[in-house]
Amino acid sequence: MALPVSKPTTQDERTLLTETVRLATGNVATGGGPFGALIARGSEVVAVGTNQVTPTLDPTAHAEVVAIRNACKRLNDFKLDGCVLVTSCEPCPLCLSAALWARIDRVVYAADRHDAAAAGFDDLAFYHLFETPRDDWSVPVQQVPYAERNAPFNAWLARPDRVEY
């Protein structure tokens, strides 16, 4: 399988990046984190999001996740194919995973993980963690032998009306 070739950033995407930086900066003024994101389909902004971790006490309320949630609600679909995620900072592993699950076509960002680390955010540490063997992680993550471990998957596969994703 060939690796995708990077697509040049369009002027529209640069304009959208400016908007995400504005959203992020404005979010700081209202007590949120310094992150802003939006979902665009073509030239249309489908949804926006700002970091809401501290105001909502939700560690998953990153700007990208909030934008993805808002876009899915607006489009009434859990798949966002044909959409671009534009964000003020390189998505952390949580946000990148959310974009992959949403089937986003492309991700464009301004600041990177090193910029976030310099401002005191853990993004870089999480990227380093995922490059480390699990046995060396500070938080143990392990499978426990369990005879019925596949019961939920068997129930899923038995449903003829399941919605594949």
Side-chain angles (χ1 to χ4, degrees):
M1 182 164 133
L3 292 175
V5 176
S6 290
K7 185 176 163 187
T9 305
T10 66
Q11 186 56 44
D12 283 346
E13 289 171 343
R14 289 187 181 284
T15 300
L16 295 174
L17 277 172
T18 299
E19 177 61 14
T20 64
V21 170
R22 187 194 66 72
L23 283 167
T25 305
N27 197 49
V28 172
T30 60
F35 303 95
L38 59 82
I39 305 293
R41 181 176 277 162
S43 60
E44 177 194 5
V45 173
V46 174
V48 301
T50 55
N51 182 284
Q52 297 297 306
V53 170
T54 56
T56 63
L57 305 177
D58 178 355
T60 68
H62 293 201
E64 297 89 342
V65 173
V66 172
I68 288 168
R69 289 173 181 163
N70 291 339
C72 288
K73 285 178 189 170
R74 177 159 180 228
L75 297 175
N76 197 32
D77 199 345
F78 61 88
K79 293 181 185 175
L80 298 176
D81 5 34
C83 293
V84 176
L85 169 62
V86 183
T87 182
S88 63
C89 186
E90 180 179 8
C92 72
L94 166 76
C95 297
L96 185 56
S97 295
L100 294 171
W101 275 111
R103 309 302 194 257
I104 298 269
D105 285 4
R106 180 171 157 78
V107 177
V108 179
Y109 59 88
D112 68 15
R113 62 184 83 170
H114 302 282
D115 299 318
F121 290 90
D122 292 336
D123 303 46
L124 187 58
F126 293 142
Y127 274 102
H128 288 305
L129 175 70
F130 290 125
E131 294 169 355
T132 305
R134 257 197 201 173
D135 291 342
D136 297 335
W137 287 16
S138 60
V139 174
V141 177
Q142 65 189 71
Q143 182 180 21
V144 175
Y146 186 72
E148 296 299 317
R149 72 179 185 267
N150 284 318
F153 296 123
N154 293 337
W156 170 256
L157 291 170
R159 281 195 69 113
D161 62 340
R162 69 181 177 268
V163 176
E164 299 288 344
Y165 61 98

